[in-house]
Amino acid sequence: MDDNRTIIVTGCSSGIGAYCARALKADGWRVFATVRKEADLAPLEADGIEALLMDYTKPDTIAALVDTVLERTGGRLDALFNNGAYGQAGAVEDLTTDVLRIQFETNLFGWHELTRRLIPVMRAQGHGRIVNCSSILGILPYRYRGAYTASKYALEGLTITMRMELEGSGITVSLIEPGPIASRFTANSLIKIHENVDLEGSVHAEQYKRQLKRLDGRGPVSRHKLGPDAVYDVLKHALTAPHPRPHYLVTKPAKQGAFLKRILPAALFYKLMRRID
């Protein structure tokens, strides 16, 4: 890869973002990696990555990030990998509208704000790559993940629409739908469900007990869970292929789920999804 290529990668404190930032650096990219906490800057900087603070829920930090990166690169940017997100677990009826709104601020609105600030830069230079890390839950519904699923369904629609609107501009847009990947995502979801859901007072209290086992590591672990390197494999294709795909499904459960949704009658498919804990 051309060592002059520049990319912003968000959500780099751990998991997919942290792995991809380091892998891109190793492959010759100049990487600007974002985190929300100052304590997470040093580990990235130690690996030669330009780490910056940015919070999707705070527009001033998004603006500051863009200004800083463009100042350092002379006003150009080759690629953006939107990745930072979290999953708010809980039954839809147990989530307040404010909790749902915060989920969208982080997983959708902040991504839109950052992306639209960078599109004019890419238009002016005549090229660019935008890759959004969605989820298989942006395609398939899953009980007790309604807020996260809704944010990813919205992201899918917004991203593909943008892809069509940018056709001919030199800017390509892709979605990655990973499925189960080893990361801190479930641990962070555990924190959020305790913060925002009345677990014992809910009519879903018994179901939550099973959900909490999954989130805190006491439940079964998916044998199909892959490492973040699997996401990097498809990210590389989206960033470098002459004709990157609109969708990149990563894990076996993601591919199987998408296939079953295409071939099964809706009522049967949703019945099968209801049985998944």
Side-chain angles (χ1 to χ4, degrees):
M1 293 183 183
D2 184 343
D3 60 9
N4 289 322
R5 290 185 178 180
T6 56
I7 185 170
I8 292 174
V9 181
T10 69
C12 296
S13 61
S14 63
I16 292 171
Y19 183 92
C20 289
R22 290 179 170 89
L24 285 163
K25 172 70 175 177
D27 277 344
W29 288 75
R30 183 179 181 184
V31 180
F32 298 94
T34 78
V35 295
R36 293 184 300 111
K37 300 176 182 177
E38 287 194 22
D40 293 326
L41 294 170
L44 292 162
E45 293 171 339
D47 290 330
I49 294 168
E50 296 175 69
L52 299 164
L53 293 173
M54 193 275 290
D55 186 330
Y56 277 129
T57 69
K58 299 177 180 177
D60 58 324
T61 68
I62 297 174
L65 168 70
V66 172
D67 289 345
T68 299
V69 169
L70 295 181
E71 181 180 359
R72 293 185 186 182
T73 64
R76 60 182 289 267
L77 186 76
D78 297 299
L80 167 65
F81 180 37
N82 279 307
N83 166 73
Y86 76 94
Q88 174 64 61
V92 173
E93 66 186 292
D94 288 337
L95 302 176
T96 68
T97 303
D98 283 341
V99 168
L100 187 64
R101 185 175 291 111
I102 294 170
Q103 177 80 107
F104 271 70
E105 288 286 352
T106 301
N107 291 11
L108 182 70
F109 301 145
W111 293 36
H112 176 62
E113 176 70 14
L114 176 57
T115 302
R116 69 179 301 273
R117 283 180 176 272
L118 293 170
I119 286 176
V121 176
M122 294 179 177
R123 279 191 179 276
Q125 65 196 18
H127 71 274
R129 300 285 172 114
I130 298 168
V131 183
N132 286 340
C133 193
S134 181
S135 169
I136 188 56
L137 298 190
I139 299 173
L140 312 178
Y142 187 41
R143 292 186 307 156
Y144 307 111
R145 299 294 188 277
Y148 182 73
T149 297
S151 72
K152 291 302 185 180
Y153 263 69
L155 177 67
E156 293 269 331
L158 198 70
T159 300
I160 294 303
T161 300
M162 183 170 60
R163 177 185 172 97
M164 293 188 292
E165 292 169 350
L166 289 172
E167 187 173 351
S169 68
I171 305 169
T172 65
V173 184
S174 298
L175 285 156
I176 298 177
E177 293 115 353
I181 298 291
S183 71
R184 284 192 50 79
F185 187 83
T186 53
N188 292 334
S189 294
L190 182 64
I191 294 171
K192 290 297 182 181
I193 194 172
H194 279 294
E195 284 180 351
N196 297 314
V197 177
D198 180 4
L199 298 171
E200 294 182 359
S202 171
V203 297
H204 299 277
E206 288 302 314
Q207 290 90 337
Y208 284 148
K209 291 179 182 178
R210 293 198 296 273
Q211 291 293 313
L212 290 174
K213 286 183 180 180
R214 175 186 293 273
L215 293 174
D216 67 14
R218 290 178 293 151
V221 177
S222 172
R223 67 182 185 276
H224 299 298
K225 181 175 286 190
L226 300 178
D229 55 304
V231 177
Y232 186 61
D233 287 343
V234 299
L235 176 62
K236 282 195 296 185
H237 189 276
L239 292 174
T240 61
H243 304 288
R245 300 196 292 270
H247 298 273
Y248 291 88
L249 293 159
V250 179
T251 59
K252 185 175 181 180
K255 294 174 182 177
Q256 288 178 333
F259 175 72
L260 290 174
K261 186 179 182 181
R262 287 198 303 270
I263 66 170
L264 293 179
L268 176 57
F269 175 74
Y270 295 134
K271 184 177 182 179
L272 290 173
M273 292 299 295
R274 282 198 300 273
R275 294 177 178 174
I276 300 175
D277 276 332

